[in-house]
Amino acid sequence: MVNFGETSLTDEQMAERVQAAIEYEQQRTAERERKAAEWTESAPPPPAREPGTTKFSTPAADVGQQWARVAQWLNVHQTHQPAAGAEPEAITEAEARSGVTWPTELRELFRHVNGIPADSWFPLFPSHHLFDLEQVIDEREVELEVWSQFGDEAEKGGSNAGDPAGTWLPEFIPFAGVDGYFLFVDSRPGPLWGCVSEFEKVGADDRGPQWISLSAMLADLADALDTGGPFAEVWRPSIVGGQLEWTYEANG
């Protein structure tokens, strides 16, 4: 680590330290990129899927009914609770700020729950934190800015919901995530309008659409909580010390 705190350095010595710091950061960046490349090469590719289909076949349901099932389970088993629903005006404002039309189910979700308070975080979804409206806007803007640097690889438009983009599109509305990994609703047009997909900071959206809608995902979540069965095939819920935990089970 390079120390810039000394005040007795000559200009030449300071220049040497600045150059050393630059080289140090370049080495760290190269090492991170090397490890990321190794991870990408070793990770199994997502399975092939017919265009216009989702990984999970759960049909769309009713967001209010499915969230009520989840909320009832949380009231019984979970000490921390999600935030109350957002006011319709706040949802409309957030949608307007995004510049795209939100699927009805996304608006409905925020009418029932406006994220997880920062001081009572818990993993309602495995590996993903449920956003409030402000986080939706903030995270989306960050991803648009980050992925705009890879403009040559950007999807050129005219595609349908669920089509692979290889980048972050304005029509992607994130509602949960952690550290560059997101669950998002795809607001592009087409038969899969409103589907739920995953986004990764390494593989982008190459896993394809997961659920046909938010209500389908919530139905699977409620089923897993009620029965102790797997969610998204590989995550099993349990209560440890009065808190929800998810255990990864690669074989389901």
Side-chain angles (χ1 to χ4, degrees), residues 208-221:
Q210 303 294 294
W211 288 274
I212 190 66
S213 69
L214 271 168
S215 60
M217 183 198 68
L218 289 175
D220 279 358
L221 177 64

Side-chain angles (χ1 to χ4, degrees), residues 36-251:
E38 290 178 353
W39 183 91
T40 302
E41 291 173 359
S42 62
R49 189 179 308 131
E50 290 295 324
T53 62
T54 59
K55 179 176 181 179
F56 304 110
S57 59
T58 310
D62 179 271
V63 168
Q65 292 177 356
Q66 300 310 315
W67 178 255
R69 295 176 60 201
V70 173
Q72 182 179 10
W73 187 92
L74 294 175
N75 286 333
V76 173
H77 299 283
Q78 176 72 41
T79 57
H80 293 315
Q81 294 297 313
E87 294 295 329
E89 294 80 6
I91 300 172
T92 299
E93 179 185 359
E95 180 180 12
R97 289 170 62 190
S98 74
V100 298
T101 300
W102 288 12
T104 304
E105 288 197 354
L106 183 59
R107 295 176 57 88
E108 181 70 12
L109 176 66
F110 282 105
R111 278 196 286 269
H112 293 283
V113 55
N114 189 23
I116 303 294
D119 59 353
S120 60
W121 184 89
F122 67 90
L124 179 62
F125 304 110
S127 304
H128 294 95
H129 172 68
L130 183 64
F131 294 155
D132 60 25
L133 287 171
E134 195 62 33
Q135 288 174 297
V136 169
I137 300 302
D138 290 346
E139 296 287 350
R140 176 178 172 274
E141 290 179 351
V142 168
E143 294 305 303
L144 284 171
E145 181 177 353
V146 168
W147 286 85
S148 68
Q149 301 175 34
F150 306 99
D152 291 341
E153 301 177 8
E155 191 265 359
K156 299 301 182 182
S159 60
N160 289 327
D163 292 346
T167 188
W168 188 275
L169 300 179
E171 294 87 354
F172 292 175
I173 313 298
F175 62 91
V178 170
D179 191 27
Y181 295 85
F182 298 95
L183 293 172
F184 70 91
V185 170
D186 194 338
S187 67
R188 288 177 291 176
L192 292 185
W193 179 69
C195 67
V196 174
S197 296
E198 288 184 315
F199 196 94
E200 300 179 350
K201 58 185 175 182
V202 174
D205 62 339
D206 63 359
R207 292 187 179 275
Q210 303 294 294
W211 288 274
I212 190 66
S213 69
L214 271 168
S215 60
M217 183 198 68
L218 289 175
D220 279 358
L221 177 64
D223 287 346
L225 295 175
D226 286 341
T227 67
F231 173 69
E233 293 184 343
V234 296
W235 294 98
R236 192 174 295 274
S238 61
I239 292 294
V240 178
Q243 304 299 326
L244 172 63
E245 290 191 6
W246 294 95
T247 301
Y248 180 78
E249 298 181 353
N251 297 322

